[in-house]
């Protein structure tokens, strides 16, 4: 189970990922925007968020690197805009890592079902490193 780097941008993710795809000679990636998410009657999506990248990834030199824009209004600090993502087919393993890393840390999102995963969550550990957890019930790249 590899650990993947996740890079965040402040509105210029599409430009960055297309640049990296060209640099490394990869295929043009599929890009999911915040505007592509299912509508929520309890939340009006701001216009400025709709075209921002919610998720995309590239395989660069054999490693999966994931990318997204931060949601408008969310904190963004260049240089610390990276998290580590654990993508696994083993749900118990994900839950175990999450439980250990949240001790003394700050849970950003409890493990829960989302529209893209049966189990996703995020925690900043006691050393300030953000970890994302994503359950995939099929093989990953």
């Amino acid at each position: 189970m590899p650990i993947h780097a996740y890079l965040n941008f402040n509105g210029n993710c599409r430009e960055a990922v297309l640049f990296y795809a060209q640099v490394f000679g990869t295929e043009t990636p599929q890009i999911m925007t915040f505007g592509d998410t299912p509508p929520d009657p309890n939340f009006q999506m701001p216009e400025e968020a709709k075209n921002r990248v919610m998720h995309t990834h590239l395989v660069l030199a054999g490693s999966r690197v994931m990318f997204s824009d931060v949601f408008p209004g969310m904190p963004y600090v260049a240089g610390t805009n990276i998290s580590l993502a654990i993508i696994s087919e083993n749900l118990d393993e994900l839950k175990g890592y999450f439980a250990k890393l949240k001790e003394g840390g700050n849970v950003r999102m409890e493990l829960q079902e989302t529209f893209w995963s049966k189990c996703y969550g995020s925690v900043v550990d006691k050393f300030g490193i953000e970890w994302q957890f994503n359950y995939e019930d099929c093989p990953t790249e």
Side-chain angles (χ1 to χ4, degrees):
M1 170 189 65
I3 295 176
H4 304 283
Y6 208 117
L7 305 175
N8 293 76
F9 296 84
N10 196 21
N12 60 344
C13 181
R14 182 182 307 270
E15 177 184 357
V17 78
L18 293 176
F19 171 75
Y20 297 136
Q22 180 185 17
V23 167
F24 289 94
T26 67
E27 292 183 24
T28 302
Q30 288 188 304
I31 295 176
M32 178 190 303
T33 66
F34 287 105
D36 292 333
T37 62
D40 179 348
N42 299 314
F43 177 74
Q44 181 65 35
M45 178 76 64
E47 280 300 316
E48 64 197 315
K50 290 181 179 178
N51 288 322
R52 285 195 177 203
V53 175
M54 181 176 167
H55 177 78
T56 189
H57 79 272
L58 296 171
V59 177
L60 305 177
S63 295
R64 186 180 196 183
V65 180
M66 298 179 291
F67 305 83
S68 73
D69 280 313
V70 295
F71 198 80
M74 296 297 292
Y76 173 84
V77 179
T80 61
N81 53 323
I82 186 168
S83 61
L84 299 176
I86 298 176
I87 301 170
S88 177
E89 298 172 33
N90 185 327
L91 188 56
D92 292 332
E93 186 175 57
L94 281 180
K95 289 178 178 180
Y97 291 146
F98 188 88
K100 291 175 184 173
L101 286 168
K102 77 178 188 178
E103 290 178 18
N106 178 29
V107 175
R108 291 210 169 152
M109 183 175 179
E110 285 289 350
L111 291 174
Q112 61 190 272
E113 186 169 344
T114 65
F115 70 90
W116 69 85
S117 174
K118 292 181 181 178
C119 185
Y120 173 85
S122 173
V123 64
V124 176
D125 70 22
K126 63 184 175 183
F127 300 105
I129 304 299
E130 182 179 3
W131 296 85
Q132 295 185 57
F133 298 85
N134 197 60
Y135 172 70
E136 277 191 354
D137 55 2
C138 60
T140 61
E141 294 178 340

